[in-house]
Structure formats: C-alpha cells, structure tokens
C-alpha cells in the first residue's frame, strides 16, 4: 500500500510551525506495513490543495491530508478535497447536531469565557463535508475529519490528528517489511553495496550517514520477508559491522 502525506498550512511553509505531523504519520504508516511514497507541504490555497490531492489520489492507494479544517477563513482543505474528487459540499445533519451539542456544553462549562468573548461558530460551515464522505470524529476535535474515496482529511493540531488517525489506522495495513543494518562504513563508500542490492533483490534500499559516535544505517524494505532478509544479509556481508570485534 503506497500512501502520500499532504500537510496543509502557510505556517509550516513559513517555518513558524515544525511539521511533526508528517514525521509521526510516516512512522505510523511504516509500522503498519504501508509505504510512504511522497510527503509534501502545500499552502492554504484551495486550488493548489485540490490539484495535488487529485494527482496523488489517482496515482497512489491513499492520500492523508493534515491541517486546514476548522472554523477560520484559511481552513479550506475540506472544500479543496471536494473539488479534487468532483464532489459537492453538503451539510452533514448528524455532524451539525454533534457540534451544536458540543458548543452548548462548552458554553455551560465556561460562562466566563463566553461572556467575555464573542465566539463565532457557523454550524452549517463546521458540519459541511464533501458529498458521500464518511465523517471521522473524536472527543479531541470539534470539526470532523473525513474519508472520501481514498483520501483522508485529518486536523493539523498534533494531538487531534493523532487521535483521529487512530480511528482509521486499520485502513492502512500493508505487507511491507524492513530490516536495518547498522554499519561504520562511510556513506560515500556504500555505492557498490547499494547498487548490488538493487541489482539482485526486489527491494527498496537507502543509506543514512554515520556520526562521530553512532554508526550509519542501511535500510532494506520490501513486501517479501524472505527477500528482505536475503538483501539485508547481502549488505552485512559487504559492510563494516557496527560493532566490530575488538582486536587482540
């Protein structure tokens, strides 16, 4: 299963917010056996988001979007996904009722805040989803996320995103497996090894440089555990081990 992660947000592109969501999602997807094929960040621009989602939804098994859902003017991800997939936008009655009840509970529990500030909540806008979408809700989020075809829309706030991903995590089960070979061989001396793996085995292979006090790594990923194990064994035969035996 090949998945694309799309992070939406001007603040991420400006460097004001660190993109921890993409890093966390990539790890979660890999742990479930999915292959992350692309990670990209796009601005809060409805047309740009729609173009990217349309392209990647056609080319890959799933697209996971984070950010750009909520009640502020720059939250346009839901609308963009609807554009990308040719769906109309409709108010989900169940979500409208849920958000209205949650707003009432918030007012009752926080009278000092609601008396001091004019909270502006457009219930119809907050409950609007692409037609035919499956709403994804959690206790952490007011606005619903959604799944439309093979596109998943999640919040940008990390705690909310993680909770919502947990709801749909089982959809990303794949058969990819990986094995990491630690080595002191400098990355610049690994070219023949990596080429040798690619020529002999149907796997992905990548290298990660060593530091002064930590070995580098060669990571082999594939869908056949036996092939991955054989490729990793080939790597071990041709690199300096991370913990070489002490000389006498």
């Amino acid at each position: 299963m090949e998945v694309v992660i799309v992070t939406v947000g001007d603040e991420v592109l400006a460097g004001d917010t660190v993109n921890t969501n993409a890093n966390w999602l990539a790890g979660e997807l890999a742990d479930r056996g999915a292959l992350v094929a692309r990670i990209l960040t796009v601005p809060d621009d409805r047309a740009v988001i729609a173009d990217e989602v349309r392209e990647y939804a056609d080319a890959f098994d799933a697209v996971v979007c984070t950010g750009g859902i909520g009640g502020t003017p720059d939250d346009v991800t839901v609308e963009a996904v609807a554009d990308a997939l040719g769906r109309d936008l409709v108010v989900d009655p169940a979500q409208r009722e849920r958000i209205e009840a949650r707003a009432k509970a918030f007012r009752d529990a926080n009278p000092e805040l609601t008396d001091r500030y004019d909270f502006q909540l457009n219930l119809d806008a907050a409950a609007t989803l692409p037609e035919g979408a499956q709403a994804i809700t959690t206790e952490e989020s007011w606005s619903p996320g959604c799944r439309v075809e093979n596109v998943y829309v999640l919040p940008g706030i990390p705690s909310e995103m993680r909770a919502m991903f947990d709801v749909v995590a089982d959809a990303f089960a794949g058969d990819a497996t990986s094995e990491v070979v630690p080595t002191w061989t400098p990355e610049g001396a690994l070219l023949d090894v990596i080429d040798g793996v690619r020529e002999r085995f149907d796997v992905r292979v990548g290298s990660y440089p060593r530091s002064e006090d930590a070995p580098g790594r060669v990571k082999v990923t594939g869908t056949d555990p036996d092939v991955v194990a054989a490729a990793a064994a080939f790597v071990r035969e041709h690199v300096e081990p991370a913990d070489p035996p002490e000389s006498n």
Side-chain angles (χ1 to χ4, degrees), residues 65-246:
C65 299
T66 69
I69 67 173
T72 58
D74 60 344
D75 291 327
V76 295
T77 302
V78 170
E79 293 89 338
V81 169
D83 295 343
L85 301 178
R87 303 289 185 105
D88 291 330
L89 290 163
V90 296
V91 176
D92 184 318
Q95 290 307 308
R96 190 183 193 285
E97 183 177 344
R98 181 187 69 84
I99 296 168
E100 184 175 24
R102 185 157 183 168
K104 182 179 184 304
F106 179 83
R107 288 194 300 270
D108 293 344
N110 301 276
E112 71 288 351
L113 285 176
T114 54
D115 288 344
R116 182 176 180 181
Y117 298 103
D118 180 20
F119 288 94
Q120 300 174 2
L121 177 61
N122 184 326
L123 289 173
D124 284 347
T128 294
L129 296 173
E131 188 173 18
Q134 174 188 349
I136 308 171
T137 60
T138 68
E139 288 301 314
E140 286 77 5
S141 301
W142 281 61
S143 296
C146 64
R147 178 187 66 79
V148 198
E149 298 178 22
N150 63 337
V151 179
Y152 296 77
V153 181
L154 309 180
I157 297 173
S159 60
E160 296 183 12
M161 183 277 297
R162 296 181 183 192
M164 198 169 288
F165 177 80
D166 286 344
V167 176
V168 298
D170 289 345
F172 297 97
D175 54 4
T177 183
S178 298
E179 192 164 340
V180 176
V181 179
T183 177
W184 287 112
T185 300
E187 190 177 31
L190 291 173
L191 180 60
D192 289 343
V193 178
I194 292 173
D195 284 345
V197 172
R198 290 172 174 164
E199 290 170 1
R200 292 168 174 80
F201 305 97
D202 183 18
V203 295
R204 293 185 178 185
V205 58
S207 63
Y208 307 86
R210 70 181 190 177
S211 62
E212 291 184 1
D213 55 358
R217 295 169 291 149
V218 177
K219 183 176 182 180
V220 179
T221 303
T223 56
D224 186 324
D226 293 335
V227 174
V228 169
F234 176 89
V235 173
R236 291 190 188 93
E237 292 173 2
H238 294 85
V239 300
E240 180 184 354
D243 298 306
E246 295 182 1

Side-chain angles (χ1 to χ4, degrees), residues 22-57:
N23 179 266
W24 185 87
L25 277 170
E28 291 294 308
L29 292 165
D31 287 346
R32 287 165 172 77
L35 292 172
V36 177
R38 303 282 191 280
I39 296 177
L40 66 152
T41 304
V42 296
D44 293 299
D45 184 303
R46 181 168 172 172
V48 173
I49 300 167
D51 286 345
E52 299 294 349
V53 169
R54 184 182 302 111
E55 176 182 350
Y56 289 116

